[in-house]
Amino acid sequence: MAKLHEYQGKALLAQFGIPIPRGGVAASAGEARTLAAEIGGPVVIKAQAWVTGRAGMGAIRFADDPAAAGDAAAAILGMTIGHFPVEQVMVEERLDIAQEFYAGVIIDDQSRAPVMIFSSLGGSGVEVIAREHPDRVARQAIDIRLGLRDFEARELVRRTGLHGDLLLKLGGFLPKLYDAARHYDARAAEINPLVLTADGRLMAADCRFTIDDYAVFRHPELEISFARELDRPPTPLEKIAWDVERGDYRGTFFFIQMEQDFASGEGVVGFHGAGGGGSMMSMDALQAHGLRIANFVDTSGNPPASKVYRAARIILSQPGIDGYFASGSGVASQEQFHSARALVKAFMEEPLAVPAVIRLGGNAEEQAIATLRRAQPELPVPVEAYGKDDSPDFCAARLRDLIAEGSAAPGATSGYARRNPQEPYSFETITGGTVTYDYARCRDCESKACITSCVPQILSLDGDVPVLNITRDAAKRGGCIECLACEVECYFEGNKGGYVDLPIAGLDAYRAQQEKVTHGDPH
């Protein structure tokens, strides 16, 4: 999910007619003073950070005049709350609160529907309220075809013990919250507290929005740069990985760094999982054998080979790892040779300098294992491939032993590189990649492996050379699924005339910076 700051969420609420306090966001003490002067009365200054319990951390303060507001902002800006540095504060009018409520829309997996939750008590977490005052909390599953209707909202409020004019006001308020959540594809949209002021106004005093990461592309206006829920700011490598996922919704690629600032020889390995449960079991196996895990990666849900390739390149961009371990559920429905080709391409391009153990279980796993083993003579380090009948524990033990044997080959170079084609024929792919054939090599190829192994069968022979049998535009729109067969199979079974260039935005710059740091230049 992608979290929004409070000021961003309130802007969304205001678009749907939900009243919010007067105020704005400030990045300096001077801006906070200016906002307080414009409000013209007592204000509250709140840190903008993705945490709860800000008041107890001294990150919510009150001020009676602009000078005090500036001082409060200066004290909050630069704080670290949780693991988040505070870079902005919200300055708002201080409300005279008569009563507090809670209102929230969440996507409930059990109900398979959005659910509106309302409590006639607010301020505390709704879980605490539900436990201590169950009669003051009510839920209503919402039919997305109809939305939350006024009479349903009124009945929801009535079940928490409220009546009269207040019931009518809240009954008109809650559908607006649902509409805002639905419009912005929120996994959760909460107002806590929703307040009734002393002069009878309903107001969203605080709010929290989290947007479904798969819907981020539909809302460029939100300017979400990283749609992952972490307890700290994302690392540069995590941002690079998210950009891969954001641009390609075929399958899933999740990457998070679990350790940094380690060195070679400490037993830290790159981890590449496929499927949540199998990945957890495989990580447990690594730790049971005394290995530490640099990162968690999940490429599942039938990802294209290009996404698995990019994931592997990103994993291998972590300096200091001593090994590479890939293992998942062992029962994947997708043909496993897609992942095998992706790993072969990544390992040969690097080239791989640490031992790797790969466990690929599922459809066509025998072909996948053969694909990896076929590449071994081209690699300077051991790569062992196994299937679902080989347990994660056995595979983790093998990686431990390979590391202990000193199988790494730091500084290894590769003869596997894109040759300058003499007679290029190329077309673009859906993720900004380029497939290129060198007809000077293709003419002398006897196997025509690129034709026979092309999964979507979009290639045909024109004399002795491959050509698209669909338009270039159709290939770019997804007709080419980036299966990488035209490169990997061509390299091993053909005449090495095919190459697929798959750029990873920001990765070369990141690696160059890491290289500088390694050699003592932090700039």
Side-chain angles (χ1 to χ4, degrees):
M1 296 183 286
K3 293 181 179 179
L4 301 185
H5 284 298
E6 177 189 356
Y7 75 91
Q8 296 170 309
K10 283 182 172 175
L12 305 188
L13 295 177
Q15 292 177 21
F16 285 82
I18 294 177
I20 60 174
R22 291 180 297 125
V25 66
S28 69
E31 291 177 2
R33 282 193 295 271
T34 300
L35 283 169
E38 292 173 353
I39 292 169
V43 295
V44 57
I45 301 92
K46 298 188 278 186
Q48 296 301 283
W50 292 312
V51 297
T52 57
R54 291 175 294 174
M57 304 175 191
I60 296 179
R61 304 190 183 197
F62 300 96
D64 293 327
D65 55 63
D71 292 342
I76 294 173
L77 290 166
M79 292 176 64
T80 297
I81 301 178
H83 297 289
F84 293 99
V86 178
E87 298 174 343
Q88 295 173 309
V89 295
M90 194 164 193
V91 182
E92 291 184 325
E93 63 175 309
R94 187 172 181 177
L95 301 174
D96 186 2
I97 298 172
Q99 199 168 350
E100 295 185 347
F101 315 101
Y102 167 91
V105 180
I106 64 168
I107 302 300
D108 183 55
D109 293 335
Q110 185 173 4
S111 301
R112 296 186 177 183
V115 172
M116 174 68 75
I117 303 174
F118 179 79
S119 172
S120 53
L121 298 175
S124 302
V126 70
E127 298 88 353
V128 175
I129 298 171
R131 184 171 60 250
E132 297 179 356
H133 305 279
D135 58 320
R136 306 295 290 274
V137 180
R139 299 163 50 99
Q140 172 68 47
I142 301 170
D143 186 332
I144 60 171
R145 297 169 299 179
L146 303 173
L148 180 65
R149 292 168 287 184
D150 289 350
F151 74 89
E152 292 174 318
R154 291 193 297 271
E155 173 61 17
L156 182 66
V157 173
R158 185 195 65 76
R159 285 159 49 197
T160 68
L162 299 179
H163 303 281
D165 290 343
L166 184 55
L167 181 150
L168 295 176
K169 283 185 178 181
L170 289 165
F173 187 101
L174 297 184
K176 295 176 183 178
L177 175 58
Y178 170 75
D179 291 343
R182 176 69 190 275
H183 180 82
Y184 284 104
D185 297 290
R187 293 284 303 181
E190 300 173 282
I191 301 175
N192 189 24
L194 165 61
V195 303
L196 179 68
T197 63
D199 58 2
R201 295 177 296 158
L202 283 176
M203 193 85 66
D206 196 359
C207 73
R208 180 183 181 221
F209 264 80
T210 54
I211 308 301
D212 191 314
D213 60 344
Y214 282 106
V216 166
F217 77 98
R218 290 211 293 254
H219 301 289
E221 71 278 13
L222 297 180
E223 298 181 344
I224 294 171
S225 61
F226 186 78
R228 292 284 185 257
E229 190 171 10
L230 304 178
D231 63 353
R232 53 167 174 75
T235 67
L237 205 54
E238 287 166 347
K239 290 180 180 179
I240 291 169
W242 163 246
D243 282 340
V244 171
E245 174 72 351
R246 176 168 57 181
D248 185 0
Y249 286 91
R250 299 171 298 169
T252 293
F253 169 35
F254 186 91
F255 173 89
I256 181 172
Q257 288 182 272
M258 300 169 63
E259 283 209 35
Q260 299 182 69
D261 302 322
F262 54 85
S264 297
E266 295 183 20
V268 182
V269 302
F271 177 75
H272 192 156
S279 295
M280 296 299 104
M281 183 168 58
S282 300
M283 293 169 77
D284 287 345
L286 287 171
Q287 292 179 322
H289 287 284
L291 298 171
R292 289 154 52 196
I293 301 167
N295 66 277
F296 172 76
V297 157
D298 178 25
T299 51
S300 58
N302 295 346
S306 57
K307 182 173 277 191
V308 178
Y309 159 83
R310 288 180 167 115
R313 291 288 312 283
I314 289 171
I315 292 169
L316 291 168
S317 297
Q318 299 173 104
I321 60 173
D322 291 324
Y324 190 107
F325 190 71
S327 177
S329 65
V331 292
S333 61
Q334 186 187 40
E335 293 89 348
Q336 294 300 288
F337 54 73
H338 291 289
S339 292
R341 288 169 179 160
L343 295 173
V344 166
K345 176 176 169 63
F347 291 170
M348 292 178 66
E349 282 184 359
E350 285 290 324
L352 185 67
V354 295
V357 173
I358 312 299
R359 177 176 175 266
L360 292 173
N363 284 346
E365 67 179 70
E366 296 84 2
Q367 183 179 344
I369 292 170
T371 296
L372 284 159
R373 290 176 177 171
R374 179 181 62 183
Q376 179 64 84
E378 303 286 333
L379 297 170
V381 292
V383 174
E384 296 187 358
Y386 300 100
K388 62 177 177 290
D389 292 335
D390 300 293
S391 71
D393 184 73
F394 167 80
C395 294
R398 284 300 305 139
L399 183 60
R400 177 203 60 199
D401 292 345
L402 290 173
I403 293 172
E405 292 166 7
S407 302
T413 58
S414 174
Y416 181 77
R418 179 180 183 180
R419 298 175 175 84
N420 292 323
Q422 298 178 37
E423 297 179 48
Y425 172 84
S426 63
F427 56 88
E428 296 179 342
T429 69
I430 191 170
T431 64
T434 304
V435 178
T436 301
Y437 300 99
D438 185 354
Y439 278 178
R441 287 182 168 273
C442 294
R443 289 192 184 91
D444 295 331
C445 175
E446 296 181 0
S447 69
K448 308 302 181 187
C450 62
I451 304 292
T452 57
S453 62
C454 175
V455 174
Q457 293 293 291
I458 61 169
L459 297 173
S460 299
L461 277 177
D462 182 6
D464 292 326
V465 295
V467 295
L468 284 170
N469 55 36
I470 59 176
T471 66
R472 278 184 164 82
D473 185 59
K476 186 176 181 179
R477 291 200 311 268
C480 172
I481 64 171
E482 302 175 323
C483 68
L484 305 185
C486 56
E487 176 178 338
V488 176
E489 298 307 314
C490 178
Y491 185 88
F492 288 100
E493 306 298 336
N495 199 33
K496 301 178 175 59
Y499 185 81
V500 185
D501 181 36
L502 295 171
I504 305 173
L507 189 63
D508 288 343
Y510 173 82
R511 288 186 165 196
Q513 179 61 31
Q514 292 300 307
E515 188 69 18
K516 284 184 177 181
V517 172
T518 300
H519 290 89
D521 180 3
H523 306 292

